[in-house]
Amino acid sequence: MSGPGGGVPRHVGIVPDGNRRWARLHGVPVHEGYRRGAARTLEVLRWCEQAGVETVTVWALSLDNAAKRQELPVMLDAISALTQALTAEGEWRLNVLGSPEHLKNLGLSALSARTRHSGDPADAMGGLRINLAVAYDGREEVLAAVRALLAQGGAQALEGLDGEAVSGQLARWGQPDCDLIVRASGEQRLSGFLLWQSVVAELYFSPQLWPDFDRASFDAALASFAARERRFGA
């Protein structure tokens, strides 16, 4: 299956990589790199809304980094500040992804309280839908979806457990299939980000470190998507 150019992606995934490297390159404290990165994320989300994107998923913190990164407190401060800024926008719908248990362990239970897993974000009125992935792992997310389906249907749910059911559960959590994934800093891998939803996604790897990902970089990503012949995973 293929189609003409992509137009405007409905769901964009973002891996805002390179904040720590940016700080080292500019000789500033690491926290300044993450602060600049959070500010850039807010700008990019506004550009997404202006372009007509409906959903954006931002990978703010991987589950692996939550366990290993020495600068974790600095990262958590930046995430908390970003969350407050996103909430202050008013029109945006914020959905926090990630394990509630890990969020609690990281002292981010307030973020977990904002998670919409108990409802359907699609029912809410408003503007841009933002998924903020914190202490997130794509494999754990798929497992959580399967567990939720089994909890809803018991043993009988196994008979109807297929890819469509898992996709439906993720979509109810505000995580539909992704059209475009953008990763900054020159790294060319997904690292398990949106593991299930990325099966038909187009990939765009920017050489820019995230704090340097400006409007021209954003426009280049959208232009690349629009020019591609979409083969939808084939």
Side-chain angles (χ1 to χ4, degrees):
M1 181 178 180
S2 63
V8 177
R10 296 182 62 185
H11 181 188
V12 175
I14 296 176
V15 185
D17 203 9
N19 299 303
R20 181 173 55 169
R21 276 175 280 167
W22 184 93
R24 291 175 177 172
L25 181 64
H26 290 270
V28 298
V30 173
H31 70 79
E32 179 64 13
Y34 285 107
R35 188 190 71 80
R36 293 289 187 96
R40 182 64 69 188
T41 297
L42 191 60
E43 284 187 295
V44 171
L45 290 170
R46 289 172 178 153
W47 299 337
C48 285
E49 184 175 44
Q50 293 167 9
V53 176
E54 298 175 7
T55 301
V56 183
T57 299
V58 180
W59 200 0
L61 178 66
S62 72
L63 187 57
D64 186 57
N65 283 341
K68 296 180 179 179
R69 281 289 176 94
Q70 292 182 346
E71 67 270 25
L72 180 60
V74 171
M75 299 172 75
L76 296 179
D77 286 343
I79 291 169
S80 294
L82 176 59
T83 304
Q84 293 174 10
L86 297 178
T87 304
E89 288 291 320
E91 295 297 321
W92 292 348
R93 290 167 285 169
L94 179 60
N95 177 35
V96 178
L97 312 181
S99 166
E101 293 79 10
H102 284 96
L103 291 173
K104 183 177 179 180
N105 291 338
L106 292 171
L108 294 174
S109 56
L111 293 185
S112 179
R114 293 190 178 95
T115 303
R116 297 182 180 270
H117 283 191
S118 60
D120 186 347
D123 292 338
M125 299 300 292
L128 184 68
R129 180 185 302 146
I130 300 167
N131 294 320
L132 191 63
V134 183
Y136 171 89
D137 179 274
R139 291 167 295 189
E140 290 297 325
E141 179 182 58
V142 174
L143 289 173
V146 172
R147 293 189 190 105
L149 289 169
L150 293 177
Q152 293 165 16
Q156 294 181 346
L158 287 173
E159 299 178 4
L161 187 59
D162 56 15
E164 185 176 350
V166 174
S167 293
Q169 182 64 39
L170 292 171
R172 282 191 291 274
W173 288 349
Q175 303 159 58
D177 284 346
C178 196
D179 300 302
L180 172 66
I181 294 180
V182 177
R183 180 165 189 159
S185 84
E187 301 291 348
Q188 298 189 17
R189 61 182 185 275
L190 294 183
S191 304
F193 179 54
L194 296 178
L195 185 64
W196 186 277
Q197 303 92 327
S198 64
V199 65
V200 298
E202 302 293 327
L203 309 180
Y204 184 86
F205 299 107
S206 172
Q208 298 293 332
L209 300 176
W210 184 245
D212 292 329
F213 189 86
D214 57 12
R215 185 59 188 259
S217 303
F218 174 78
D219 289 343
L222 289 195
S224 174
F225 177 82
R228 298 186 190 186
E229 180 185 3
R230 298 204 67 193
R231 300 183 180 276
F232 298 95

